[in-house]
Amino acid sequence: FLSLVAQFCCGFFVILILGNFWFLAVLYLLWLYLDWETPCAGGRRSHWVRSWTVWKYFREYFPIHLIKTSELNPNHNYLLGFHPHGVLVAGAFGNFCTDPPFKNLFPGLTPYLHIMPIWFGCPFFREYIMSAGMVSASKESVSYVLNNEGGGHASIIVIGGAEESLNAHPGSLTLNILKRKGFIKMALKHGAHLVPVFSFGENELFKQVANPKGSWLRNVQEKLQKIMGFALPLFHARGVFQYSFGLIPYRQPIHTVVGSPIPVKQNLNPTTEEIDQLHALYLQKLKKLFEEHKSNYGIPEHKSLIFE
């Protein structure tokens, strides 16, 4: 959905340049130059945009649910690790970029969904995603959010990143996390409490062409991902009037479960050992969260998370 909107925005910008409104394109480029750092400085959210009626229907389509398991004190800042990436990241968008799900369950906290910086280079589209509460996934951006001295800020990071979308097959429980420790270091440097989040049903929205590791398709996808910065999963789902083929996601319920916070004491210069210890604790808490709730959302008892 976001990529389609991005293509429309880019197309509209090209029309301005080629048409009789080129001066508007020039003015926008000037604005873009002056406003370039905003995605790394908290963005520019709009409660009006986040409350559009269309988002209510978007959440009800699947439907998307946000599950609270513990209180999050608004006097602290938090770093929420979202799993898994899936193809659409629908749970992250529906719960953290639209009102009122998060606002009602966690009053006093402002969520910021961090996404790839490349999206903020798209004309007009960047204004829309910032209005929804999305900001850059750069270190500077995460630091800006977590530096709020009064607390009340929550950074949401999709830990597996675009690479994990290549594992987004129905029933898949594989998370790309063992080598991803940058978010742990950021939590330590800012004293932000860590919160594991698992979104049950995220991988069930699309069917992806078989791409096991070592296959020619997976090799091509991984090479393209390294070059472009984002992955290209080959997926399909349903159409408008039929259920056999199309790009509309299947109507599968999504339950995004927010776990209990892991207290983190600020450490401006954490050692590798300290980062590894907190990372191991985070994996333990994430696995515990999954095991405690999997039976509620149709996951067989014998299935567990796979970390790689």
Side-chain angles (χ1 to χ4, degrees), residues 23-74:
F23 61 95
L24 294 178
V26 172
L27 288 175
Y28 184 80
L29 287 176
L30 176 61
W31 161 257
L32 194 63
Y33 173 77
L34 297 174
D35 194 57
W36 190 254
E37 296 300 324
T38 300
C40 294
R44 187 169 45 247
R45 72 179 52 231
S46 165
H47 292 293
W48 175 68
V49 172
R50 289 171 59 90
S51 300
W52 281 351
T53 302
V54 66
W55 303 136
K56 175 179 179 289
Y57 294 118
F58 173 80
R59 294 191 302 268
E60 291 178 350
Y61 171 80
F62 298 96
I64 296 174
H65 304 280
L66 186 63
I67 313 300
K68 176 181 180 180
T69 65
S70 177
E71 294 292 339
L72 297 183
N73 190 331

Side-chain angles (χ1 to χ4, degrees), residues 36 39-40 114-122 129 135-139:
W36 190 254
C40 294
H114 296 270
I115 64 175
M116 291 186 298
I118 189 174
W119 291 113
F120 295 98
C122 181
I129 56 179
V135 292
S136 172
S138 66
K139 292 181 180 178

Side-chain angles (χ1 to χ4, degrees), residues 107-228:
L109 283 181
T110 303
Y112 296 82
L113 180 61
H114 296 270
I115 64 175
M116 291 186 298
I118 189 174
W119 291 113
F120 295 98
C122 181
F124 302 116
F125 180 67
R126 69 189 296 273
E127 319 304 334
Y128 159 67
I129 56 179
M130 279 197 289
S131 67
M134 289 179 246
V135 292
S136 172
S138 66
K139 292 181 180 178
E140 296 78 11
S141 178
V142 177
S143 292
Y144 184 93
V145 172
L146 297 181
N147 264 338
N148 189 39
E149 294 183 359
H153 282 188
S155 281
I156 297 97
I157 301 177
V158 184
I159 305 301
E163 182 182 357
E164 193 173 84
S165 67
L166 299 179
N167 290 328
H169 297 271
S172 174
L173 296 173
T174 300
L175 304 180
N176 292 59
I177 192 172
L178 291 181
K179 295 181 180 179
R180 296 179 181 266
K181 301 179 181 179
F183 73 104
I184 298 292
K185 186 175 182 179
M186 294 300 292
L188 282 166
K189 291 184 70 173
H190 297 284
H193 295 351
L194 281 167
V195 181
V197 178
F198 195 86
S199 195
F200 291 90
E202 200 74 44
N203 284 339
E204 318 304 316
L205 306 185
F206 297 92
K207 292 180 180 177
Q208 190 172 165
V209 175
N211 60 341
K213 287 200 170 184
S215 65
W216 69 268
L217 176 58
R218 185 60 168 256
N219 291 336
V220 170
Q221 288 175 320
E222 290 177 346
K223 288 180 181 178
L224 289 175
Q225 191 266 326
K226 290 179 181 179
I227 294 173
M228 300 184 298

